[in-house]
Amino acid sequence: MKSFVQYTPTEVIFGKGTEEQAGKAVAKWGGSRVLIVYGGGSVVRSGLLDRVKNALNQEQISWEEFGGAKPNPLLSHAREGIKRAVAFGADLILAVGGGSTIDTAKAIAHGAANPEADLWDIWKKRVPLTKSLPVGVILTIAAAGSEMSDSAVLTNEEAGVKSGINTEFNRAKFAIMNPELTFTLPDYQIACGITDIMMHTMERYFIPGSNAMLTDEIAEGLLRTVITNGRIAMKNKEDYNAMAEIMWCSSISHNNLTGLGRDRDFSVHKFGHALSAKYDVAHGASLAAVWNAWAAFALEGEGAEERFARYARKVWQVEEQQDRAAALEGIRRTVEYFREIGIPVTLAELGVDPSEEDLQELAMKTTQNDTVKLCPARAIGAAEAKEIFRAAK
């Protein structure tokens, strides 16, 4: 097991009706002037936004709204939010929504605390991030895990780049999680969330030579849990227990607990980010559309066969004794599960048909102009990335 530092400071307030505690949570963490960040009109139509405002009013907390967060959060929108936060004198940013809203709130918090710096310069680490405003979360979508993670993602639409930043300043102070708030989500959004949860776990799992037994057991248990409850939720999204399990899996999958003691590899996310930036497709779907092609490539790496075979046996209960056959069956069952819940598993199913020029562009975006090598199992540069994209067609 490798050395590690685990830091998960987010206070979790989990259960039915917990959004009513928003005012007390904000006050506890020092908020007195709050910018409420949200996405589309669903939080308005459901009455959730009004309940949050009432909870803030009860604690005599001033607030201002900032809606319009996009599924692939935009740099330009975050910049506008920074202006609003600074003008209002916000001392806490409250995200009401899913991962895109939370990431937007994190970006606004960083920019509002450092108004002299350009947000993209902060994002690309050209300007060091040494302070930020506190962020609180009221979660409405179980998917990205941003409510407990140290990461956030933005799309620079001018540059056509989707990029993430990892920093402890991304850790939310509190996360209010009521699984009932997910009951009205479209089936496809729930399925994309299930896929993202699985990917956050698998990106940390498929590391050849890993020797972190407890971490492996946690990851495998989480995957079995989300797969089982995902099937239930796709039949009945008002099954509270199923949605509660998925929501908690979302948080655990991305707060680093499933990767302690070993390296991690987010190469599939890099592929997905390139696709989302170019085609504005759903994040979870972009990951599943390339996963099969990535897995087929990674399987040929040193030590990968044994790792994939363990995954097949522990997660999918594959009984095949020969490692390669077990590994291939595990990959097949994963792809079939994505199909079962209605998620595309090829680029064609995703609705995109890249030309050769597009494939090259995607490969260069995935590997930062061929300056980084992805995937410790089997190195992926621009040439390899292009072949994986082509195989995913």
Side-chain angles (χ1 to χ4, degrees), residues 334-385:
T334 305
V335 174
E336 286 306 307
Y337 180 76
F338 292 146
R339 280 204 176 102
E340 177 186 338
I341 63 174
I343 291 295
V345 297
T346 66
L347 296 187
E349 292 179 17
L350 188 64
V352 301
D353 183 21
S355 65
E356 280 297 306
E357 288 184 1
D358 293 335
L359 291 174
Q360 181 65 25
E361 177 190 344
L362 289 167
M364 294 299 279
K365 291 287 176 63
T366 299
T367 60
Q368 296 181 35
N369 293 319
D370 205 18
T371 62
V372 297
K373 296 291 184 183
L374 307 173
C375 189
R378 186 182 177 194
I380 296 174
E384 293 80 12

Side-chain angles (χ1 to χ4, degrees), residues 170-235:
N170 276 334
R171 300 283 191 184
K173 296 300 183 183
F174 66 87
I176 290 173
M177 292 188 265
N178 176 3
E180 292 176 314
L181 299 180
T182 67
F183 288 178
T184 59
L185 292 172
D187 290 349
Y188 188 67
Q189 203 164 8
I190 293 172
C192 283
I194 291 166
T195 304
D196 201 13
I197 294 165
M198 291 178 65
M199 291 294 178
H200 283 151
T201 309
M202 293 191 293
E203 296 274 55
R204 295 171 166 90
Y205 185 87
F206 288 113
I207 310 297
S210 292
N211 185 20
M213 184 181 297
L214 178 58
T215 299
D216 280 346
E217 294 287 349
I218 292 170
E220 291 154 0
L222 189 153
L223 286 165
R224 291 193 301 269
T225 299
V226 78
I227 288 165
T228 298
N229 287 281
R231 286 189 167 119
I232 297 170
M234 294 309 296
K235 293 176 181 177

